[in-house]
Amino acid sequence: MNWRKLIRHETILAVLVVVALIILGNQSDKFLTVDNLLNQGRLMTEVGLIAIIMTFVIVTGGIDLSVGSILGLVAILLGVFWKDLGLPLPVAIALGLLVGTLAGAVNGLIITRFRVPPLIATLATLALYRGIAEGISQARSVRGYPDWFFVLGQGQVLGVPTQLWILGIVALLATIVLAYTTWGRAAYAIGSNETAARFSGLKVDLTKLAIYSASGFAAALAAVIFVSRVSTTRSDMGTGLELDAITAVVLGGTSIFGGRGTIIGTLLGLVLIQTLKNGLSLAGIKSDGTIVLIGAALILTILLTNIFQRNGNR
Amino acid sequence: MTVLTTLALTTSLVHAQTAWTGGDDLPNNPLACDATAATPAAMPYDGGVPTNPPDRKGKEITVVDVPKLIGIGYFDATSKGIAEAAKEIGTMKATTDGPTKANIDDQITLIDNYITSGVDGILFAANDPVAIAPVLKKALAAGINVVGYDANSEPDARQWFVNQAEFNGIAKSMIDSLAAETGPDASFAIVTSTFTTPNQARWISEMGAYAAKCHPGLKWLETVEAQEDNILSFNQANTLINKYGDDLKGILGMTSVATPAAADAVTQAGKCGSVAVVGLATPNAMKPYVEADCVKSVVLWNPVDLGYAAAYVIRAAADGTLQPGATSVAAGKLGNLSVINGSEILLGAPFVFTKDNIGDFNF
């Protein structure tokens, strides 16, 4: 057994999460309580859903900057479909999820069909989708959703916040797909060497299209949960969310150049950031100080991995 | 793509009956055109009540102040007022901690964390009245005293709201000042933060109603959004100047960021004297423009007093001396402030800073 195989990025990250939990738990007796931890799970679900699919996107060597805008667009459409067009709320939700998936597919088409680099394509749709959202909403909020809808964002099932179940299911499915299916292997192959993947007969374009569509779907699902959590829709919802998701993915060890990364790494990255945000706040550190410390933790984690793996062991 | 475009078109048609560029859809209550004071209608208490709060009467309490965002002069001033009052009161520990951007989610998360950490009281200025309500209700359910200032939430999500000035009062001051500077038949445009920001939307809506009632010759061209962003505000004001040319006689700034930026844009365009700038802003930011005679009137209340009053109100709520049904509350050096609209506490009439008095203020 090669000892170095144990020192993977994920292992280092897991150790850091545990260390952070212990240190922060010592700082405040309110931190390591079931209530608080479950509540933190609730708060990280939206970013989590997006980050999980973003792992696929980044593994293929791509990026999706438009997810925050898709979230805003779907949130607005949910309100418009329901309130202005008078559709039943479940139909409005289904349509919202469909539009989100389509918005992701549009990203995928621009990238695969017109060979526009993902960074540029999704930078463009970041502006486009947000613009459509603002144009449609005319800055009006939609409020007054029925009580059952709030179960999704504010309620719980078997004592665990509803959205945490959804996050768990999506995480499990994504882990299986990425690690054990041909789709997952295709994603790694595309990220490692797209030309080689193409020559090997992999359906590169189709895989990418599916992944960007899934990214749009994840953003749409996050939008529905977000609206349910805060009980209103605003066109500026999810602004800057793409950066939170990308941070979690990259902290989780996924290479920004593609070809390497795991869902468990992303989840650990997500948990570490949320732990720091919440724990530092409970320890009495103000939000501006928290941002500085999170930035420092990011650099530290990546440095640690680089030190342990400097022999090019990928 | 076509699906999206069609969607965008059909859904925006739903909204597109009028060319709406700002304001909200709530009913307006414009004041009289002369100086007659409005008589407020009595309303029963409509705020919330904390669930089984511990007896905090006279005991030291920990209060966190969560403004819309930190790092801008306006909220620096309110937190200064809160700190000042806390020192005076003696039995109150107050800290300010807010998001670094005016972001609904960051603010909600922050408040959620403070509920967990077990504070006695929360002071807030809401980025969105509805979005913030669930987390504030959670605070009330945990027995925490909740008082808003500057920007309200839904009434039942907090106990009291300290209202700096009534919306129709601000609207009257703004429009009267504008009309006095530009004459009765001028065209004007508005630079605001975002159309959804509750205070700004309400002011704009009331300004529209008051202008229609008392200055029917004024022509409202459009409202532009500029977040709470200095550079964006400047650019938007600049665009307005270029777009409307000589037609534009006045710019109304709705935020403490937009107004000085608009004044700067007018100065740089060499339009001082031909484009009036009237707006809500802090005196320090406006002094250069007022002293250069480019801006004649700046409308605001004293934000230090606003924070100061909010601190006294939360102390009184925690002590139980301010109960539903009360008609006034003692607020230190500010004297007795009156309760309006069921569960709001009115700081006073808005203040108009001019060249004559702006030098007396430093915030």
Side-chain angles (χ1 to χ4, degrees):
Chain A
M1 178 95 193
N2 188 344
W3 64 271
R4 207 180 266 137
K5 274 196 176 154
L6 281 174
I7 310 180
R8 300 181 48 154
H9 182 85
E10 286 83 354
T11 324
I12 296 171
L13 206 53
V15 172
L16 279 177
V17 170
V18 173
V19 170
L21 283 171
I22 293 170
I23 294 177
L24 294 168
N26 273 326
Q27 299 294 312
S28 162
D29 54 356
K30 304 277 177 18
F31 176 62
L32 283 177
T33 59
V34 176
D35 270 358
N36 183 44
L37 296 181
L38 287 179
N39 194 34
Q40 293 311 310
R42 186 195 295 279
L43 295 176
M44 73 179 193
T45 298
E46 293 119 25
V47 177
L49 286 171
I50 291 172
I52 286 170
I53 310 299
M54 186 73 81
T55 313
F56 286 80
V57 174
I58 297 181
V59 158
T60 63
I63 195 99
D64 188 349
L65 298 178
S66 70
V67 281
S69 297
I70 295 180
L71 193 154
L73 176 62
V74 173
I76 286 299
L77 285 178
L78 185 66
V80 168
F81 287 151
W82 176 64
K83 198 120 196 194
D84 295 337
L85 302 186
L87 299 174
L89 192 50
V91 177
I93 293 173
L95 274 179
L97 294 176
L98 181 70
V99 173
T101 314
L102 281 177
V106 169
N107 284 337
L109 278 177
I110 298 172
I111 291 161
T112 54
R113 196 55 69 84
F114 304 106
R115 305 266 168 251
V116 178
L119 182 78
I120 295 164
T122 58
L123 191 62
T125 51
L126 163 110
L128 177 70
Y129 296 152
R130 181 71 66 197
I132 296 176
E134 284 176 354
I136 291 173
S137 81
Q138 291 291 296
R140 284 176 162 88
S141 309
V142 174
R143 306 156 182 182
Y145 293 93
D147 280 346
W148 66 262
F149 179 58
F150 297 132
V151 170
L152 207 54
Q154 300 173 33
Q156 42 183 265
V157 176
L158 303 175
V160 174
T162 319
Q163 60 263 62
L164 214 46
W165 290 101
I166 299 174
L167 182 68
I169 293 167
V170 171
L172 190 68
L173 284 177
T175 310
I176 295 169
V177 170
L178 187 60
Y180 302 109
T181 66
T182 41
W183 279 94
R185 308 224 165 264
Y188 284 117
I190 294 167
S192 297
N193 188 335
E194 191 172 328
T195 316
R198 229 173 261 283
F199 280 122
S200 323
L202 288 173
K203 293 192 174 88
V204 173
D205 287 351
L206 201 60
T207 308
K208 280 191 179 176
L209 193 60
I211 288 174
Y212 283 98
S213 304
S215 181
F217 175 80
L221 190 57
V224 175
I225 293 171
F226 199 155
V227 170
S228 169
R229 177 160 71 84
V230 303
S231 70
T232 182
T233 50
R234 285 173 55 119
S235 55
D236 64 350
M237 277 177 158
T239 313
L241 202 73
E242 60 280 346
L243 290 184
D244 291 343
I246 293 168
T247 308
V249 174
V250 174
L251 181 61
T254 300
S255 165
I256 201 79
F257 304 111
R260 184 163 60 94
T262 59
I263 299 293
I264 187 78
T266 297
L267 291 175
L268 284 168
L270 195 65
V271 168
L272 182 59
I273 292 172
Q274 193 68 27
T275 303
L276 287 174
K277 270 192 194 165
N278 172 240
L280 292 172
S281 169
L282 292 187
I285 293 171
K286 291 191 181 184
S287 51
D288 39 6
T290 307
I291 300 174
V292 172
L293 284 168
I294 288 176
L298 260 171
I299 294 172
L300 178 77
T301 316
I302 290 163
L303 280 183
L304 271 179
T305 304
N306 280 356
I307 290 166
F308 282 119
Q309 301 188 335
R310 71 179 146 207
N311 296 343
N313 170 10
R314 293 202 158 189
Chain B
M1 200 68 188
T2 44
V3 181
L4 271 178
T5 323
T6 326
L7 261 177
L9 288 176
T10 49
T11 42
S12 54
L13 276 178
V14 176
H15 284 307
Q17 290 95 355
T18 52
W20 181 85
T21 59
D24 53 24
D25 297 325
L26 302 174
N28 295 312
N29 180 24
L31 290 175
C33 301
D34 54 22
T36 324
T39 39
M43 243 178 84
Y45 181 76
D46 61 349
V49 177
T51 314
N52 302 323
D55 181 17
R56 300 192 169 108
K57 196 172 171 57
K59 294 184 183 143
E60 170 152 295
I61 55 170
T62 327
V63 170
V64 62
D65 156 41
V66 186
K68 284 186 184 179
L69 75 166
I70 51 169
I72 65 168
Y74 181 81
F75 285 113
D76 284 349
T78 55
S79 59
K80 198 175 134 199
I82 291 168
E84 202 178 293
K87 204 173 153 200
E88 238 173 69
I89 293 168
T91 52
M92 185 167 144
K93 255 176 60 191
T95 50
T96 296
D97 190 8
T100 48
K101 281 177 291 183
N103 178 317
I104 53 169
D105 201 29
D106 288 353
Q107 188 177 35
I108 291 166
T109 309
L110 206 68
I111 294 175
D112 210 320
N113 282 339
Y114 276 103
I115 295 172
T116 309
S117 72
V119 291
D120 298 297
I122 294 172
L123 288 167
F124 71 89
N127 280 308
D128 183 288
V130 179
I132 202 172
V135 76
L136 293 182
K137 283 181 184 157
K138 187 176 165 185
L140 285 175
I144 296 171
N145 290 109
V146 182
V147 170
Y149 66 93
D150 182 67
N152 206 351
S153 68
E154 290 186 295
D156 62 343
R158 45 79 184 151
Q159 292 177 272
W160 301 93
F161 172 67
V162 185
N163 196 341
Q164 52 269 41
E166 288 202 90
F167 294 110
N168 51 11
I170 293 280
K172 180 178 163 63
S173 295
M174 294 275 285
I175 295 293
D176 282 347
S177 298
L178 178 77
E181 288 185 37
T182 61
D185 298 310
S187 299
F188 68 96
I190 301 175
V191 182
T192 188
S193 48
T194 69
F195 295 148
T196 36
T197 315
N199 282 358
Q200 275 79 7
R202 205 75 275 286
W203 286 321
I204 291 171
S205 187
E206 286 285 357
M207 289 193 320
Y210 181 78
K213 178 178 167 189
C214 300
H215 300 281
L218 287 180
K219 189 165 168 254
W220 178 5
L221 296 169
E222 70 169 315
T223 304
V224 292
E225 292 185 288
Q227 317 294 338
E228 295 260 356
D229 184 310
N230 196 17
I231 295 167
L232 190 58
S233 300
F234 177 86
N235 290 343
Q236 290 285 46
N238 211 19
T239 308
L240 288 172
I241 294 169
N242 292 335
K243 182 171 168 187
Y244 293 106
D246 291 339
D247 282 346
L248 184 73
K249 298 291 184 215
I251 297 178
L252 293 170
M254 301 311 297
T255 75
S256 61
V257 180
T259 310
D264 199 24
V266 169
T267 308
Q268 290 197 19
K271 294 264 188 180
C272 279
S274 60
V275 177
V277 176
V278 176
L280 299 161
T282 50
N284 280 356
M286 296 305 288
K287 267 176 202 162
Y289 308 108
V290 172
E291 275 156 13
D293 258 338
C294 199
V295 172
K296 296 205 165 47
S297 22
V298 180
V299 180
L300 200 71
W301 48 93
N302 185 330
V304 180
D305 286 351
L306 178 62
Y308 180 91
Y312 268 92
V313 168
I314 201 165
R315 180 71 252 190
D319 284 342
T321 50
L322 177 59
Q323 294 277 2
T327 52
S328 73
V329 59
K333 64 174 184 187
L334 299 175
N336 280 330
L337 301 176
S338 49
V339 172
I340 57 165
N341 299 333
S343 57
E344 296 180 10
I345 287 140
L346 183 63
L347 189 65
F351 191 82
V352 180
F353 299 95
T354 60
K355 202 176 180 180
D356 299 327
N357 62 23
I358 201 164
D360 304 337
F361 297 89
N362 182 25
F363 62 84

